Amino acid sequence: MIIPVVVFAFTRVNLLTNLLGCLKREEVPYIIAFSDGPRDRRDVPAVNRSRDLINSIDWTEVEHHERPRNLGIGPNILDGVTYVFSKWPAALFFEDDIFLGPGSYTFLCEALRHYESSSEVLSISGWTLPNVTPEGVSEIAYFDGRAECWAWGGWARSWEGMVEETALVKMNKCIEKGIDIHQYGDDLPAMAAMEIDRKLWAVRFMYHHLLHGGLSMRPRQSLANHMGMDKANSTNFAGENRWFNKTLWTPPKPPYDWPQPEKNPDTAVLWQNAIRIENASRR
C-alpha cells in the first residue's frame, strides 16, 4: 500500500525547499500538495514561487491543489486532510516548515501499517522532545494522549467526526464526561477559545483524541524538527526555539519490534510542566 505524503505550503519558499529535499532523499512515491492562496498582492510573488517549486518536481508523482483564495493555515489543513482521507486510507502530513531525518518516511509508514487496526491509536508522529518524552523509554516508540500536529500521520478512521465539531464543542463534551481538559497542558483550553479567530486546527485534533481516549504514537527520539518557529517564518507559533531538537534519531531498518498501544502514565505531567515553563518564559 502506497502511503502519500501531504504537504501544506504558502509563502515560505526556503522552508518548502528544505522539506521537498527531505522527501526526495526519502524517495517518497506520491505527494499531495495544498498551496494556499495569497492574502493580498504582497503575497503573490512568494505564493507563485512556492507553486512553481511544487510544479517543478520531477522525481515523483505529484497532485497539486492550488487554492484560488486564501483560506488560512487551519482551514487549509482541515479541508485538505478531509479530502485526502476521502481518497486514501492512510497518509502522512507535513507543513512546509518540517525537516525530516533519514529513515523517517519508512519508519512512519511502517507505524501506520502496524497500528492500522488498533482503534485506540488515532495518530502517529515523527516529532518529540526530551522534556516531553518519558525517561527510560527503551522501545522504539511510546504512546501519548496529546495528539501532534508536527510531522504526523493517521488513517481515515482518525478523522471521523473531526471537522463537524469545533475544539470548544469537543472540549465541553470532555467536561460533560468528567475528562480533565487541562491534563495535557493549560494551553489547550486557551487555544480552543481562539481556534476560529486564529484559524487554528490542531487543538481540535488534540481534544478529538482526548474525547475518544485516543493515543498518539511518538518515536523514542525525534525524527523531525519544526523549522518555522521564528517570528519571520511562523504561522501560529512564534517565539524562541525551545522546541527544537539538536539531533535527530536515525531509526534502524525494518522490521521493527512495535510496542503495545498503552499510554505512558508520565506523559500528562511532562506536558503540563513543559507548557508551564513555556508560558512563564513568555511573560
Side-chain angles (χ1 to χ4, degrees):
M1 176 184 68
I2 290 177
I3 296 178
V5 164
V6 183
V7 173
F8 295 98
F10 183 37
T11 59
R12 300 181 292 183
V13 182
N14 290 340
L15 293 177
L16 178 60
T17 300
N18 289 335
L19 172 60
L20 294 180
C22 294
L23 300 183
K24 182 177 181 180
R25 182 200 65 221
E26 296 297 289
E27 299 181 345
V28 170
Y30 196 89
I31 293 175
I32 305 171
F34 295 89
S35 56
D36 206 1
R39 292 165 297 190
D40 53 42
R41 288 181 294 177
R42 290 171 295 181
D43 286 336
V44 171
V47 166
N48 287 341
R49 288 197 299 273
S50 291
R51 290 177 172 178
D52 289 344
L53 186 60
I54 294 168
N55 291 331
S56 70
I57 295 173
D58 58 4
W59 45 268
T60 193
E61 188 172 352
V62 179
E63 176 183 336
H64 188 187
H65 299 261
E66 298 183 7
R67 303 295 195 184
R69 59 184 180 85
N70 182 262
L71 299 182
I73 184 65
N76 189 28
I77 291 177
L78 288 173
D79 182 79
V81 176
T82 300
Y83 167 82
V84 170
F85 281 146
S86 73
K87 307 288 184 181
W88 296 82
L92 294 168
F93 301 89
F94 306 129
E95 294 178 43
D96 56 9
D97 52 13
I98 296 298
F99 181 88
L100 300 166
S104 51
Y105 177 73
T106 296
F107 182 90
L108 294 173
C109 285
E110 289 299 309
L112 285 173
R113 295 182 181 110
H114 182 81
Y115 293 108
E116 180 179 10
S117 300
S118 300
S119 58
E120 65 271 46
V121 183
L122 287 185
S123 64
I124 64 154
S125 175
W127 183 88
T128 191
L129 196 71
N131 65 346
V132 294
T133 301
E135 291 185 5
V137 174
S138 59
E139 297 176 299
I140 61 172
Y142 69 98
F143 291 89
D144 195 347
R146 174 165 168 149
E148 189 51 65
C149 61
W150 296 346
W152 68 281
W155 306 267
R157 62 173 174 79
S158 309
W159 211 245
E160 293 175 1
M162 240 299 289
V163 297
E164 292 82 0
E165 300 171 336
T166 66
L168 278 177
V169 170
K170 294 180 187 295
M171 185 184 76
N172 287 327
K173 284 188 173 183
C174 286
I175 295 172
E176 292 171 4
K177 285 188 170 186
I179 299 171
D180 180 5
I181 61 172
H182 298 269
Q183 66 178 286
Y184 285 98
D186 289 335
D187 59 326
L188 297 187
M191 285 195 294
M194 64 178 72
E195 175 196 19
I196 303 302
D197 290 342
R198 292 279 305 276
K199 295 186 176 182
L200 307 177
W201 78 274
V203 64
R204 188 181 304 195
F205 201 39
M206 292 171 185
Y207 274 127
H208 186 69
H209 279 60
L210 199 60
L211 179 61
H212 297 287
L215 300 177
S216 180
M217 188 217 78
R218 295 179 185 269
R220 70 180 182 199
Q221 293 175 260
S222 194
L223 303 167
N225 259 325
H226 185 285
M227 308 298 292
M229 289 184 286
D230 59 274
K231 292 182 179 180
N233 284 313
S234 180
T235 50
N236 282 312
F237 192 108
E240 293 182 23
N241 220 340
R242 298 180 183 88
W243 301 90
F244 185 82
N245 289 283
K246 294 182 179 179
T247 59
L248 297 180
W249 180 46
T250 300
K253 293 182 179 180
Y256 303 114
D257 185 13
W258 295 106
Q260 291 297 312
E262 298 174 353
K263 181 172 63 176
N264 189 294
D266 297 332
T267 54
V269 172
L270 288 168
W271 275 109
Q272 290 171 16
N273 292 338
I275 297 302
R276 189 177 300 115
I277 292 170
E278 175 67 20
N279 289 340
S281 71
R282 293 183 176 185
R283 294 192 185 105

